[in-house]
Amino acid sequence: MNSTFERNGEKSTVEWYTPPYIIEALGGWWSFDLDPASPENIITETACKYYTKRDNGLTQSWHGRIFLNPPYENPLIGQFMQKLSEHGNGIALVYNRTDSKWCQEYVLKRADAILFLSKRIKFIKPDGSMGNSPGAGSILIAYGQENVKYLENCGLEGCILYPKN
Ligand SMILES: C[S@@+](CC[C@H](N)C(=O)[O-])C[C@H]1O[C@@H](n2cnc3c(N)ncnc32)[C@H](O)[C@@H]1O
């Protein structure tokens, strides 16, 4: 995905990292077994185990509770979201793109809960500094009832919807 919508007004790249306060609100990095889309050089901890581009997280076996902030480019984002929806245990952080094919197929039809965050997330750059406010809001998506509870109790401001209800 490479529209200016997600570019933060800065150079477009898939290397945008999750700020620690999001991970802490969702139970802490130690509560996630795996981050299957991770940089080689970890700037912010997200999980107990990581797969990087070199491993190709898409071809690996996923285990336990997943934290996923996928690469925002096609077709990767859809492939990662499909795999998480089939795995059925984890939380994804993505831009709010409810009209995209991956969102229609793997979020709106398969997620157990979606938290539409009311505040925009400033993501972390590879040098550890904070990026600008992005051009779109973000959503947190829960698969599995344990992760629904984490979203309900995370304390991040926003509105939760339950697409299967
Ligand atoms: C948006 S960043 C999120 C990084 C980290 N998960 C986080 O939340 O801070 C997506 C990451 O996926 C990595 N990536 C790209 N293709 C991948 C692949 N096929 N398998 C695993 N990781 C990949 C990129 O290098 C990038 O570091």
Side-chain angles (χ1 to χ4, degrees), residues 26-37:
L26 298 174
W29 64 265
W30 53 88
S31 72
F32 289 102
D33 296 296
L34 176 69
D35 178 343

Side-chain angles (χ1 to χ4, degrees), residues 43-133:
I43 300 293
T44 61
E45 286 188 296
T46 51
C48 298
K49 185 177 162 98
Y50 301 93
Y51 292 134
T52 67
K53 189 172 181 176
R54 199 161 13 162
D55 304 316
N56 190 0
L58 280 171
T59 62
Q60 303 289 334
S61 144
W62 292 12
H63 62 278
R65 184 173 182 240
I66 307 293
F67 177 75
L68 175 66
N69 172 2
Y72 305 128
E73 59 187 346
N74 285 316
L76 280 177
I77 188 167
Q79 292 167 336
F80 272 98
M81 292 306 295
Q82 178 176 5
K83 187 152 175 148
L84 181 59
S85 73
E86 287 164 0
H87 178 72
N89 179 10
I91 295 182
L93 169 62
V94 290
Y95 281 114
N96 181 356
R97 297 276 305 223
T98 47
D99 59 341
S100 63
K101 190 161 180 258
W102 56 262
C103 194
Q104 298 271 323
E105 285 300 315
Y106 308 122
V107 179
L108 300 177
K109 286 184 190 159
R110 298 198 191 177
D112 291 298
I114 307 171
L115 172 56
F116 292 80
L117 294 168
S118 57
K119 293 198 173 129
R120 295 212 171 155
I121 297 176
K122 292 180 179 168
F123 288 89
I124 309 293
K125 301 197 236 182
D127 67 4
S129 65
M130 190 183 282
N132 294 332
S133 189

